[in-house]
Every structure is written in structure tokens, then in C-alpha cells.
Amino acid sequence: MNQADIRAFFDQQHQASRQHIEVPALVRKERLLRIQKIVQEHGTTLAAAVQADFGVRSPQLTEMADLMVLRTMLSHTLRHLNAWMRNQRVWTPLHLLPSMARIERQPLGVVGIIAPWNYPLQLALGPAIAAIAAGNRVMLKPSELTPHTSAQLAHVIGQFFAPDEFCVIQGDAQVASQFAGLPFDHLVFTGSTAVGRKVAIAAAQHLTPTTLELGGKSPCIIGNDCELEQAALRIAHGKLLNAGQTCIAPDYLLLPRGQEQAFEQAYRKAVAQLFPSIAGNPDYASIINQKHFHRLRSLAQQAESQGAHVQWLESAQTAATSAAPGWGDAVQRQMTPALVWNVHSGMDIMREEIFGPLLPVISYDRLDDVIQAINAGPRPLALYWFGKDEKLRDSVLRRTVSGGVTVNDTLMHVAHDNLPFGGVGPSGWGAYHGEHGFLRFSHQKSVFLQAKWSPAAWLYPPYGPKFERIMALIKRLG
């Protein structure tokens, strides 16, 4: 698709959004029900496309991490949409009475979405659900790294939506760059911080507001009173879901000094419980492609060359890879989980977002040192705390800033429809999910309704003693 084609789709949506500014609840719900039908009727086909793109990724994982999330999001949105759309009456100060005021929530117009490859259904259709609920038209650019999924999304969305309602633009990084340069009313990007900067620069040319869902180094802190076996299982699940290719996965672990051996044993046991085998296990996703696999291997090798100890957690069992015909080199990309010890800040593995099954472990003596180290780096997308002491927990929450937090588990704050999902600073800005997404993609228009009689007339010129008396009264009332 060339630049002229992309612009033609945009112009069609832009014109439609300006001709039909008011989008009733009935229209919005009918469009949401169409997405619901896509998920219900084509979920199996879409999950198969995701598996084809990864090589090894079970349909059950896609059902849980993509489709189930979308179903919940749709149900929640449909249930609450009428309430979200209502005008909001606001209190009027005494000196402006008897006037009234309200906030009206209107569609922005055309929302562009640049989706990533790691959860290619949830992170494409999730923002679209929020944008359509807010009454907008949507243009979606899926990732070029998941071509089967992108093609299938384009096919089913084209079946259920007119191009001026919701359309899919397929193409490579150059197409994504052209897409980001369109004068959208709002642009959503999910991906790396480096690409996010480029998207923000492109959007700035048209003063397009953006929502950037990025990533970074999300810390996981173990408290001294933590139940280590339970924590290790929950950390392993959060770290190894989708083989670590999750933006909110625990990126590195902060562990009380002296608990290294106990944690290693607990984590090894947890990995074996979740994934009795790695190679050929359909429940353990492969790394998306060779480029990313080699990047992860290089992170581990570079860390070892600088003094780190990489402890590969080889499974006790060996899978029968013959049970998975057609996987090809995808089995070779099922990367063995590893703990990485003796890391320091100069290593690439501690400077870059890992996005894979490598878990660096840093031992600490004082919690104050942990907080200081977290605050010295870019603000993370997620933070995890494991421990029973509520005072220590609250101290960590008060003294650190992150996009979101889960206590005594990982990932779960993203599953809560009433919590905003988003980053802060280098991990992104803006948030969606539930009403927060509806508001993100709405214009909240201020409306002031002046009464037939207005006290403001007392403040018209010419100014004189009467004006001074009224201003003095307003000051006393204020």
C-alpha cells in the first residue's frame, strides 16, 4: 500500500467524522457488537494466525492473553457506555449564579493505532474498542512481524466494517512511518521507547496528541518476609508468559542478600512446574524471530563476558519435537529460561528492556538502596512488590513512580477494567482501559449556560464605586 492509498483511507474517515460529529450510543454499541462478533466467530482463525507468526505459541495462550481480555473489555464497555456518555453537571461558584455548566463528551474524530507483535490481537483491538466506544473512526496499522495475523485482521475487519468506520493498513516499517505522519485526531502507539520517540516526533508535525505505551525495566522486589515459593511461581509465570515477550513482564529481580540459593531453587521448581519441558512444548512460546533470538543470546553472552553468571534452567525432561510437524526452526527459538547473577549497571542486560526469558537478579542489603536504584533510572511501566509487611509495601509505593503496580503477584493490574493502563515518562504517557480509555479518546467540551439575568453585567465598564464594592464582595466570598 503506497502513501497515496493510505492518505485516501484517512481522508475518507476524516470526512465521515466531520459529517457525523454526533455518534449516538446505539451506533457505538452496534459497532462494538461487530467487534464482539469478530472475536466470537473468528477467534479460532485469528489464534491460528498468531501461532503461524510465532511458530510455537499455543491457541490457549492466545485465548487467555488476547481473546479473553478482549471479551472482558467489550462486556465492560457495553455495560457502562451509556453512563460514560452522559453530560457531566459541574458545580457553579456563587459569583456566577444563576448560570449552569456542564462537560460534554464528544468524539475526537479519527484515531490511528500502531499495534505491536507480542499480543497482536489484544493490543490492536483493545485500543480500538475504547476509541470506537468514544465515537471515533479507527485506522489500524498492525505489526509487520506478524503478517499472518495482520492479514487475517484486515480480512475480518473488512468483512464487518466499512472503510470509513474501521480499516486496517498493512505494510512494513516505511508504511508505519507514513501512517504516523498522518494528521490524526489522536494516535496510539505500543512498542519500544526508541520507536516511540520517532512516532512522537512524526505526530508532533501536526500537533497530534498521542498515547504511547512503551516498556522499560520493570523491577520486581522481594521483601524479607516474602513466601518465596509462592512468589517464585508467580514471578516465573509473569516472566515466562509468552516467553517473556510482554511489556509489563518483570524485567529484573531485587532480592534480599542471603536468599539467593533459596530463590534459585524455588524459581527452578516453578519453571519445571509451569513448563516440564521447553523444546517442543506447545505451551512455551518461541521467540518471534531469529533477530530477536540472537539479540537475547547476545545480551546473555555480553553479560557473561563482563563477569555475570548465566544459569540456564534446563528442564529435566526432553520434549518429543516430532509431535509438532511444521514448526521448523521455531523449536530452536524456544529459548531456555535463565537466571543471571552478578549483574551491574554497565551491562546491556541492565540497560535495555530484555523482552525475553532472562531474569537478572540483584542482591540488596537495605530497602532504601533498592528505592534509590529504581529512582535513579527511567520510570518503569510496572513495579512488583512481594512481601507481607504493609508499612514497607506502602513505603515502596509512596517513594517510587511507575505506570502501574501489582502487589504479591505479577501482571494482574492490567486485567482490572477499572484501572488505567499506561506508562509514565520514558515508559509512555496516556492510559486506556475502561472509562479511562473512553475519556482518553473523547473531547471533554466545557459548556457554560448563562442565565437570563447575569451578575456579570455588574462588572462591565465604566468602572466606578459600584464596581469596587462588587469586587470587594467577591474577594470576601472567595
Side-chain angles (χ1 to χ4, degrees):
M1 189 173 289
N2 60 40
Q3 192 166 2
D5 294 331
I6 299 169
R7 182 70 198 212
F9 276 105
F10 173 80
D11 289 342
Q12 195 175 1
Q13 290 207 355
H14 184 268
Q15 184 177 3
S17 72
R18 270 51 181 178
Q19 288 177 344
H20 305 284
I21 291 174
E22 184 180 12
V23 185
L26 194 64
V27 173
R28 302 183 194 199
K29 287 181 180 179
E30 192 273 331
R31 289 172 180 167
L32 292 171
L33 288 169
R34 278 186 258 165
I35 297 179
Q36 193 173 63
K37 201 168 184 181
I38 287 172
V39 173
Q40 289 170 347
E41 295 183 1
H42 297 273
T44 301
T45 306
L46 288 165
V50 174
Q51 181 162 341
D53 285 322
F54 274 78
V56 183
R57 178 166 143 156
S58 69
Q60 291 89 343
L61 172 56
T62 300
E63 169 62 36
M64 177 189 69
D66 284 89
L67 298 174
M68 186 177 74
V69 173
L70 292 172
R71 289 191 187 97
T72 302
M73 198 178 290
L74 283 160
S75 297
H76 182 80
T77 303
L78 286 163
R79 188 164 59 250
H80 295 285
L81 184 59
N82 284 346
W84 296 347
M85 287 181 65
R86 288 192 194 109
N87 292 338
Q88 307 297 304
R89 179 81 178 268
V90 296
W91 177 81
T92 298
L94 186 62
H95 66 276
L96 293 178
L97 291 174
S99 66
M100 293 186 295
R102 65 173 182 249
I103 298 170
E104 296 182 359
R105 296 172 172 180
Q106 291 186 302
L108 293 173
V110 183
V111 174
I113 299 170
I114 302 177
W117 52 263
N118 57 329
Y119 294 97
L121 301 178
Q122 181 209 142
L123 297 175
L125 295 179
I129 289 167
I132 286 171
N136 299 289
R137 316 277 167 154
V138 173
M139 290 180 66
L140 169 65
K141 167 61 180 75
S143 173
E144 63 274 15
L145 298 187
T146 50
H148 295 89
T149 308
S150 299
Q152 194 61 35
L153 278 171
H155 175 66
V156 295
I157 289 170
Q159 283 186 318
F160 282 82
F161 288 90
D164 68 351
E165 295 177 305
F166 186 8
C167 67
V168 177
I169 305 297
Q170 297 183 78
D172 57 14
Q174 183 179 356
V175 170
S177 177
Q178 294 166 354
F179 187 93
L182 291 171
F184 291 110
D185 296 293
H186 197 100
L187 178 61
V188 184
F189 169 79
T190 304
S192 70
T193 301
V195 179
R197 284 194 186 93
K198 295 178 182 178
V199 170
I201 291 169
Q205 304 306 309
H206 300 287
L207 297 180
T208 298
T210 56
T211 295
L212 302 181
E213 302 297 350
L214 308 177
K217 308 290 288 181
S218 294
C220 182
I221 310 168
I222 298 287
N224 275 304
D225 60 352
C226 170
E227 293 182 11
L228 214 53
E229 288 216 358
Q230 182 189 73
L233 180 61
R234 293 176 178 180
I235 293 165
H237 177 254
K239 182 64 178 177
L240 302 180
L241 185 74
N242 203 29
Q245 297 166 113
T246 303
C247 61
I248 56 167
D251 193 273
Y252 63 100
L253 185 75
L254 294 148
L255 183 70
R257 196 175 304 280
Q259 295 191 23
E260 292 86 354
Q261 186 175 357
F263 179 80
E264 182 268 319
Q265 292 172 354
Y267 192 75
R268 184 183 291 277
K269 178 182 175 183
V271 172
Q273 179 180 329
L274 295 169
F275 305 104
S277 60
I278 297 299
N281 184 342
D283 292 336
Y284 188 76
S286 56
I287 302 304
I288 185 67
N289 57 28
Q290 282 297 134
K291 177 183 176 182
H292 282 272
F293 183 84
H294 289 311
R295 179 187 65 81
L296 289 164
R297 277 286 182 183
S298 295
L299 286 178
Q301 290 166 358
Q302 194 252 16
E304 277 192 311
S305 72
Q306 295 187 354
H309 171 51
V310 180
Q311 188 174 29
W312 299 99
L313 304 180
E314 302 288 353
S315 177
Q317 299 182 32
T318 302
T321 58
S322 60
W327 282 1
D329 72 342
V331 174
Q332 304 302 318
R333 290 186 276 109
Q334 287 182 291
M335 188 174 216
T336 303
L339 292 170
V340 186
W341 305 90
N342 303 324
V343 295
H344 59 74
S345 60
M347 297 175 178
D348 287 346
I349 202 169
M350 290 307 299
R351 291 191 296 203
E352 299 177 13
E353 183 180 9
I354 295 171
F355 227 64
L358 310 175
L359 182 62
V361 183
I362 300 172
S363 300
Y364 72 86
D365 297 302
R366 300 185 316 136
L367 191 59
D368 283 350
D369 296 334
V370 167
I371 292 171
Q372 185 177 354
I374 292 171
N375 289 338
R379 286 173 168 170
L381 182 58
L383 182 144
Y384 302 108
W385 163 262
F386 286 85
K388 299 175 185 176
D389 191 317
E390 294 183 3
K391 288 185 178 179
L392 285 179
R393 174 200 70 194
D394 292 343
S395 176
V396 170
L397 298 187
R398 282 195 312 270
R399 298 167 63 193
T400 59
V401 178
S402 60
V405 174
T406 292
V407 174
N408 289 322
D409 208 339
T410 59
L411 313 183
M412 299 307 295
H413 60 285
V414 173
H416 198 305
D417 286 317
N418 288 320
L419 290 175
F421 168 60
V424 55
S427 61
W429 54 65
Y432 63 98
H433 285 196
E435 188 174 11
H436 302 281
F438 176 88
L439 293 174
R440 187 69 180 168
F441 304 127
S442 296
H443 169 55
Q444 298 194 66
K445 183 166 71 177
S446 303
V447 178
F448 184 86
L449 305 169
Q450 186 60 278
K452 185 176 181 181
W453 174 80
S454 169
W458 292 344
L459 301 179
Y460 293 173
Y463 305 122
K466 182 180 176 182
F467 173 85
E468 297 298 338
R469 288 196 300 271
I470 292 169
M471 288 298 294
L473 178 62
I474 291 173
K475 288 176 184 177
R476 287 201 298 273
L477 292 175

